[in-house]
């Protein structure tokens, strides 16, 4: 199914020294525990040890029909980061995405911003109580908050080439868990979740496991049929993101999606021509998050 790599050329995110630190015992866990809920499987990077640049071995993926039978094969040939920097590139990409998702709108009132407290609550002396000058003190309920959160910009920048390389590296690392299916958008005459679950089972997918579908065009009936499956992500080229790639245990591409990936993230892709499209995708993602 995919190009095999020698044991010396297999790189696992689980054994990454980036996530293992003797000074931080709480970080002794795979990246899935740091960023995701609980994926049961981590991907390995099958990168040729002989390469010196951003190149990876071409992977051959089976093409399945709507009935689940194998009708052919296709090649996925994407750029991949070098062996010694692949883990760092993917890590930087996912951290950037997660930081950019944070709104940073949490805000509390200090004692100077809390309403009220203009007069002294009670006399200074002859009450037997502690002296109190204002009700806005942080020591009383309803008072100000000491060192509370204020609006903050959590966003981080990443080079466009580096972001593209992180996505292509993550997809290349998951080729062993990827399949290609013929376009089935016209197969759904009406929305029906039961039929989509039956399709997943014919493709060898477990509806209880996380899976990601990448399609160039998604019909309304397919969206309505799949949206009630909580473990499934239905993505298009405009919504493709690194988090959903790493979070999924199975990747399913249509033949059109494979052609898109080879054109956008392949060895012969022209990055400068796609900058405008990437900016549009970023605007779409910001609108969805907003």
């Amino acid at each position: 199914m995919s190009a095999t790599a020698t044991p010396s050329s297999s790189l696992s995110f689980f054994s990454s020294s980036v996530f293992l630190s003797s000074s931080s015992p709480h970080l002794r866990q795979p990246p899935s525990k740091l960023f995701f809920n609980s994926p049961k499987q981590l991907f390995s990077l099958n990168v040729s040890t002989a390469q010196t640049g951003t190149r990876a071995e071409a992977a051959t993926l089976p093409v399945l029909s709507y009935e689940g039978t194998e009708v052919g094969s296709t090649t996925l040939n994407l750029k991949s980061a070098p062996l010694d920097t692949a883990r760092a590139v993917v890590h930087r990409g996912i951290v950037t995405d997660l930081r950019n998702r944070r709104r940073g709108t949490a805000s509390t009132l200090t004692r100077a911003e809390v309403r009220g407290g203009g007069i002294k609550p009670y006399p200074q002396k002859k009450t037997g109580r502690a002296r109190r000058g204002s009700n806005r003190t942080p020591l009383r309920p309803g008072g100000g908050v000491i060192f509370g959160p204020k609006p903050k910009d959590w966003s981080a920048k990443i080079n466009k080439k580096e972001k593209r390389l992180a996505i292509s590296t993550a997809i290349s690392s998951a080729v062993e868990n990827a399949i290609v299916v013929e376009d089935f958008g016209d197969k759904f005459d009406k929305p029906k979740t039961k039929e989509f679950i039956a399709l997943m089972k014919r493709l060898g997918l477990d509806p209880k496991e996380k899976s990601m579908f990448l399609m160039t065009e998604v019909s309304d009936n397919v969206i309505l049929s799949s949206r009630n499956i909580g473990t499934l992500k239905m993505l298009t080229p405009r919504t493709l993101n690194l988090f959903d790639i790493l979070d999924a245990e199975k990747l399913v591409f249509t033949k059109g999606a494979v052609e898109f990936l080879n054109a956008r993230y392949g060895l012969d892709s022209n990055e400068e021509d796609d900058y405008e499209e990437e900016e549009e995708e970023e605007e779409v993602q910001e609108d969805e998050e907003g």
Side-chain angles (χ1 to χ4, degrees):
M1 293 175 59
S2 61
T4 57
T6 59
S8 60
S9 63
S10 180
L11 178 62
S12 174
F13 282 100
F14 184 83
S15 59
S16 171
S17 59
V18 174
F19 304 101
L20 300 179
S21 173
S22 57
S23 59
S24 303
H26 62 283
L27 293 181
R28 293 178 177 271
Q29 49 186 331
S32 61
K33 300 298 183 182
L34 295 177
F35 303 117
F36 318 124
N37 295 329
S38 58
K40 300 178 181 178
Q41 186 174 5
L42 297 175
F43 303 131
S44 61
L45 297 179
N46 296 325
V47 186
S48 175
T49 57
Q51 68 182 27
T52 57
T54 55
R55 293 186 178 277
E57 298 177 356
T60 302
L61 302 178
V63 179
L64 305 181
S65 64
Y66 179 76
E67 289 74 19
T69 59
E70 186 172 346
V71 294
S73 62
T74 185
T75 301
L76 186 66
N77 192 14
L78 306 181
K79 291 181 180 179
S80 182
L83 184 66
D84 55 343
T85 60
R87 187 182 295 112
V89 169
V90 176
H91 176 265
R92 175 172 165 79
I94 188 63
V95 169
T96 302
D97 285 351
L98 294 179
R99 288 192 59 178
N100 291 339
R101 291 187 181 188
R102 300 190 65 171
R103 293 181 178 272
T105 56
S107 181
T108 55
L109 301 179
T110 65
R111 66 176 300 164
E113 298 168 335
V114 174
R115 190 176 180 182
I119 63 174
K120 194 174 179 64
Y122 47 81
Q124 177 87 351
K125 298 181 181 296
K126 299 181 181 180
T127 62
R129 304 175 65 182
R131 51 191 177 184
R132 186 77 65 188
S134 173
N135 285 331
R136 298 189 294 184
T137 171
L139 304 180
R140 294 179 62 89
V145 178
I146 304 175
F147 302 125
K150 285 293 184 181
K152 179 179 179 180
D153 183 13
W154 290 95
S155 63
K157 293 183 179 180
I158 185 174
N159 295 334
K160 293 180 180 179
K161 290 183 179 180
E162 188 176 6
K163 180 179 179 180
R164 291 162 59 95
L165 185 60
I167 292 178
S168 60
T169 301
I171 296 177
S172 298
S173 70
V175 292
E176 294 182 354
N177 304 288
I179 60 174
V180 180
V181 63
E182 293 182 332
D183 191 11
F184 53 86
D186 57 345
K187 301 293 185 180
F188 289 82
D189 298 332
K190 60 181 180 179
K192 195 156 188 178
T193 304
K194 185 181 295 185
E195 292 184 3
F196 199 93
I197 293 178
L199 170 63
M200 295 180 63
K201 292 181 178 179
R202 290 197 300 268
L203 297 177
L205 305 177
D206 186 356
K208 296 182 179 180
E209 294 182 351
K210 294 182 179 180
S211 57
M212 186 206 76
F213 280 68
L214 179 61
M215 306 176 62
T216 53
E217 295 182 1
V218 185
S219 63
D220 294 338
N221 289 335
V222 172
I223 294 177
L224 296 175
S225 300
S226 61
R227 67 179 181 178
N228 286 337
I229 305 176
T231 57
L232 183 142
K233 286 286 186 178
M234 187 68 66
L235 303 181
T236 63
R238 295 176 63 86
T239 58
L240 181 63
N241 63 91
L242 186 59
F243 181 90
D244 289 331
I245 295 173
L246 295 177
D247 193 31
E249 300 181 34
K250 297 291 184 180
L251 304 181
V252 181
F253 307 125
T254 60
K255 297 180 69 174
V258 173
E259 295 176 358
F260 161 78
L261 293 175
N262 288 331
R264 172 66 69 86
Y265 303 102
L267 299 178
D268 299 329
S269 62
N270 190 353
E271 298 174 352
E272 296 181 357
D273 295 342
D274 298 328
Y275 281 167
E276 295 182 358
E277 298 181 6
E278 286 186 353
E279 292 177 356
E280 294 179 359
E281 293 176 11
E282 292 176 357
E283 293 178 359
V284 171
Q285 292 181 2
E286 290 177 356
D287 296 339
E288 292 178 352
E289 294 170 1

